[in-house]
Structures are given as structure tokens and as C-alpha cells.
Amino acid sequence: MIISPFALCIIGIVLLGALGLPIGHAMIVSSIFYLLLKGLDLGTAAEQILNGLFNSYVLLAIPLFILAADLMNIGSLTDRLLRFCLVLVGRFRGGLGHVNVVSNMIFAGMSGSAIADAVGIGRIIIGMMTKENRYPVAYAAAITASAAIIGPIIPPSIPMVVYALVSDTSIGYLFLGGFVPGVMLGIAFMVMNSIIARRRNYPVEPAIPLKEVPRITLRAFPALMLPVILLFGIYGGVMTPTEGAAAAAFYALFASTVLYRAVSWRQLYETILTSSKATASIGMLIAGAMIFNYVVTIENVPASLARLMQGHAMSAPVFMLAVNVLLLVLGCLLEGTTILLIIVPIFIPTAKALGIDLVHFGVVVVVNIMIGLLTPPYGLLLFVLANMTKQPLARIVREAAPFIIMSLIVLVIIATIPDAVLWLPRLFGYKG
């Protein structure tokens, strides 16, 4: 055969994806075609998919975090959080931009999804920012998209759950590792927002009277308690991250329906339906990755890559640089979960061989992939915000460029200084 079965498998995935077939389906079809060409048992495809999906307790966290985020979006939790953030940082120049970032940092402790943050908080905060033309719509969209990438970095994090699945790394320590980089991103975005706000003379919001602060804080208190309960439950040893996801979903349901009484039966039904569709979509992608990763294993691609890099005497810093550059490029073209499930597993054996800590590597990979959500032409958050605000994509990209630069600076810091990621996990007993 002129072209190898593995090459035909890769070509099949690319062509089917280009024709509009969901990437998960494309991987399943192309991988089965590979098995057929190699004369292997086609039942292996079903076996790999079923074993991967039903034997992984970790995967249960994904639908539960999605449900928790959707429940918070339909309840009044988001409104109360934004009002609380307005008390904290609204009085500074460009205050609503700061509110946008801080609210995403708090909401990140509940949802674990950048899209959920952008749609949930974004719709409300963009309306606040653009009311009476206080901020340009494109700028409001750009800072909302930028702030939303903090969601999957500060724990909990759906991409980190996926990385834990492919790397066999502790989810708890990955979550802890993401906390400091997430806060660094938030501070970097607020610094950039302050610079732009002063340069463009964006308005200062009226200070909220001190007598109103206790009432606003009390109204937001049940919403603020969710990340506290979740994180202390996980790191206090009371529950696993998957059980924590179930607790987050239950608490979001309880707060929205009982404490705030802001959800109707109709809304609850539609939310469960929406969460189910999102879960099914991710499930098909993971199923496709399971069988494709089996194909990659048969072809011995990770070991071949490791030998290639060892042959070039590649050091750990050079490897990290190469991986980051490659992931940044791929992030412009591919969806993040696809990169995590197809590309990242190939690098893990080499990272191990070079002595790179897999928690550090995982957090750097997730931050890198989140930046990909902001970079054209594929940046998914850009499309979501462009559709939400009816603004030209190019205008949003221009406004997002300073925030993309700040996120790249943070990426360089955490990639070159492992302690920026590993300090907190080690504080909680991590031995890596």
C-alpha cells in the first residue's frame, strides 16, 4: 500500500471534519476504517469506547459541572454575584470591566466551563457595560471573552478532568495547581483594563453607599458559599472531585429553587435538556478519542516521538517551548477538548521521560488551550460573543488583542516557573 493505514486514518479525520461531520464522529469512522485496513477485529472499536466511557468514574464530573453551571445561569445567582462584585471593584475607573473579570473569577469556582461563564455572566455584564453607551460593545465583548477563559483554570475545571483522564493525574492536585495561574490571569486582565480605561477615559461607577453593602453581601452569600463548600469539601477529604461536582449541581439546584425561588419547572426541564445535549456532545468526542488513542497506541506514536526527541537531545525547557508553540498554533484551528484528547496524550510519555511534572504540564496545557479560545480564526469564545453582541468578529479580535498578550505573558511565567503552579498543591501534600 502506497499510503499507510495510519496516514489514511489521519486524512479521513481531517476530510470528514472539513466536510462538517462532528470531530468525534470523524474519529470513530476513520479509526474503524483503520482497523478494517489492518485486518483487526472491528469489535475492538466498541470495546474501547465502552470501556473508556463506562469504566471511568472521573468522567461523571463533566455532566455534573455542566448542569451546575446551567442551573446557576437560569437562577438569580449571577445577578447577585455581579451586584456583589460591583461593591468590591465598581468604584474604580473602568469599574464594570473589573466587575466583569472578578465575577468570572468567582463564577469560575462553580462552573468549570468558559462557554458557561461567557453566556451566563456575559449576557448580563455586557448589558450593564453598554447601557447609555458607557463602553463600546466590542470592548465589552472582548473583555467578557477574555475573562471567561479564567473559568476552566480556577477550580473546578472540565478541561482538567479530561486531562486527568488521559494522563492518570490527580484531579485534586490539578485543581489546586490551576488556582494561582487563574488569579494571575485575573490580575493581568484588570491591569490591562485599568490602562485602557484611563487612556479612553471610561466612566467611574457611582460608589455604593456603605449601608447597602451588608444587604448586598447577604443576598449574594448563598451563591458565594458554593465554591467554598465545593473546594473545602474536596481538599478537606470529605468528597472526591466527582462527588464535589454532584454536590455543586445539587447546591445550585437548591439555591436557585428553594433559597432564591427563581426557577420554574419549565426552566428546570429546559436546563436539564440543554445540559444533556452538551454532555452528549462531549461524550461523543471522548468516545472518538478513545478509539483513536487505541490506534495511536497500536502505531506506537508516543514511543516514536519520545525516541525522536531523545535523539535530538531535547531538554525539558526546549520541549515545553515546542509544545506551547504547537498548542498555540493548534488552538487557532482546533477545539480545546479535541487537542486534549488527541494531541496531548502523544506528549505525555515524553514529558515523563524528561522529568516534567505532569500536574505542572497539565495546568500549562489547559491555560494554553484556553488562550486558543480567544485566538482567530477558530476562537470559539470570539464566535459566541460576536453572535451574542452582533458585532463584527474582526472588531472584537482587535479589542481582545491586549488581553491575549497579557494571557501569553502569564503562560510564559507559569511554563518557565513550575513553582507558580506547584506551590499550592505542595502545600496540600503533593510530592511531585
Side-chain angles (χ1 to χ4, degrees):
M1 186 177 292
I2 299 173
I3 303 178
S4 71
F6 184 65
L8 288 173
C9 178
I10 300 294
I11 292 169
I13 293 173
V14 173
L15 285 179
L16 291 173
L19 290 171
L21 190 70
I23 193 68
H25 294 77
M27 285 190 288
I28 292 172
V29 171
S30 300
S31 298
I32 291 174
F33 182 56
Y34 169 88
L35 295 176
L36 183 65
L37 292 177
K38 293 282 283 188
L40 299 172
D41 183 9
L42 298 184
T44 306
E47 181 186 353
Q48 289 295 317
I49 291 170
L50 292 175
N51 285 341
L53 290 178
F54 294 106
N55 289 345
S56 179
Y57 180 63
V58 169
L59 282 180
L60 276 176
I62 293 176
L64 292 168
F65 279 134
I66 291 172
L67 179 61
D70 287 343
L71 286 169
M72 285 183 285
N73 285 339
I74 62 166
S76 61
L77 281 79
T78 304
D79 299 315
R80 294 165 190 259
L81 281 174
L82 284 172
R83 187 71 177 163
F84 176 73
C85 293
L86 199 57
V87 170
L88 292 180
V89 292
R91 65 185 68 232
F92 305 109
R93 185 163 300 280
L96 286 179
H98 295 320
V99 169
N100 199 329
V101 175
V102 172
S103 60
N104 270 280
M105 291 172 72
I106 296 174
F107 202 73
M110 309 177 197
S111 71
S113 166
I115 303 300
D117 289 4
V119 173
I121 289 180
R123 200 177 300 277
I124 302 169
I125 189 67
I126 288 173
M128 292 169 62
M129 291 181 73
T130 56
K131 187 178 180 182
E132 298 172 356
N133 296 318
R134 284 184 287 185
Y135 294 80
V137 178
Y139 181 77
I143 193 170
T144 300
S146 303
I149 72 169
I150 299 172
I153 298 169
I154 291 180
S157 165
I158 291 173
M160 286 185 188
V161 172
V162 176
Y163 174 81
L165 173 71
V166 300
S167 67
D168 196 27
T169 309
S170 164
I171 302 177
Y173 290 133
L174 280 168
F175 281 3
L176 282 171
F179 187 82
V180 171
V183 172
M184 288 170 65
L185 277 173
I187 293 171
F189 291 158
M190 291 175 73
V191 168
M192 181 53 68
N193 177 63
S194 293
I195 294 169
I196 294 173
R198 291 183 183 281
R199 187 179 300 161
R200 299 181 183 178
N201 198 30
Y202 286 151
V204 177
E205 302 304 311
I208 293 174
L210 285 175
K211 64 179 182 180
E212 291 288 311
V213 173
R215 183 182 64 84
I216 292 170
T217 305
L218 189 63
R219 280 171 55 84
F221 185 76
L224 292 169
M225 282 303 294
L226 178 51
V228 174
I229 291 171
L230 181 62
L231 298 179
F232 274 90
I234 292 172
Y235 302 122
V238 178
M239 50 193 171
T240 67
T242 302
E243 291 164 349
F250 175 78
Y251 187 87
L253 176 64
F254 178 77
S256 298
T257 55
V258 178
L259 296 180
Y260 294 149
R261 298 181 182 180
V263 178
S264 65
W265 285 108
R266 176 77 180 176
Q267 286 176 309
L268 185 59
Y269 168 76
E270 289 175 353
T271 299
I272 293 173
L273 195 63
T274 301
S275 300
S276 301
K277 289 178 180 177
T279 300
S281 176
I282 293 175
M284 284 305 299
L285 189 56
I286 292 173
M290 291 293 176
I291 177 61
F292 179 71
N293 285 342
Y294 176 72
V295 170
V296 168
T297 302
I298 292 174
E299 289 290 320
N300 212 16
V301 173
S304 300
L305 182 65
R307 283 196 301 270
L308 176 67
M309 291 186 170
Q310 286 168 4
H312 286 81
M314 184 174 286
S315 63
V318 174
F319 172 76
M320 287 292 284
L321 175 63
V323 169
N324 274 298
V325 171
L326 178 62
L327 292 182
L328 285 170
V329 172
L330 290 175
C332 298
L333 305 170
L334 297 174
E335 194 269 333
T337 309
T338 306
I339 297 172
L340 274 172
L341 290 169
I342 300 177
I343 308 299
V344 173
I346 296 173
F347 293 125
I348 288 172
T350 307
K352 280 183 181 177
L354 291 172
I356 296 170
D357 185 272
L358 289 188
V359 169
H360 174 230
F361 186 68
V363 172
V364 170
V365 163
V366 169
V367 171
N368 196 311
I369 289 171
M370 289 307 103
I371 294 171
L373 293 175
L374 290 176
T375 50
Y378 190 82
L380 191 57
L381 280 171
L382 299 177
F383 287 115
V384 169
L385 270 299
N387 181 64
M388 189 189 301
T389 59
K390 309 303 178 189
Q391 288 289 299
L393 188 64
R395 191 175 299 169
I396 296 176
V397 171
R398 279 198 302 271
E399 294 285 11
F403 299 101
I404 295 172
I405 292 169
M406 295 302 282
S407 62
L408 289 172
I409 292 171
V410 171
L411 177 64
V412 170
I413 292 171
I414 65 170
T416 54
I417 307 175
D419 284 343
V421 172
L422 297 175
W423 169 77
L424 195 57
R426 285 171 178 159
L427 201 63
F428 280 77
Y430 180 60
K431 303 299 182 184

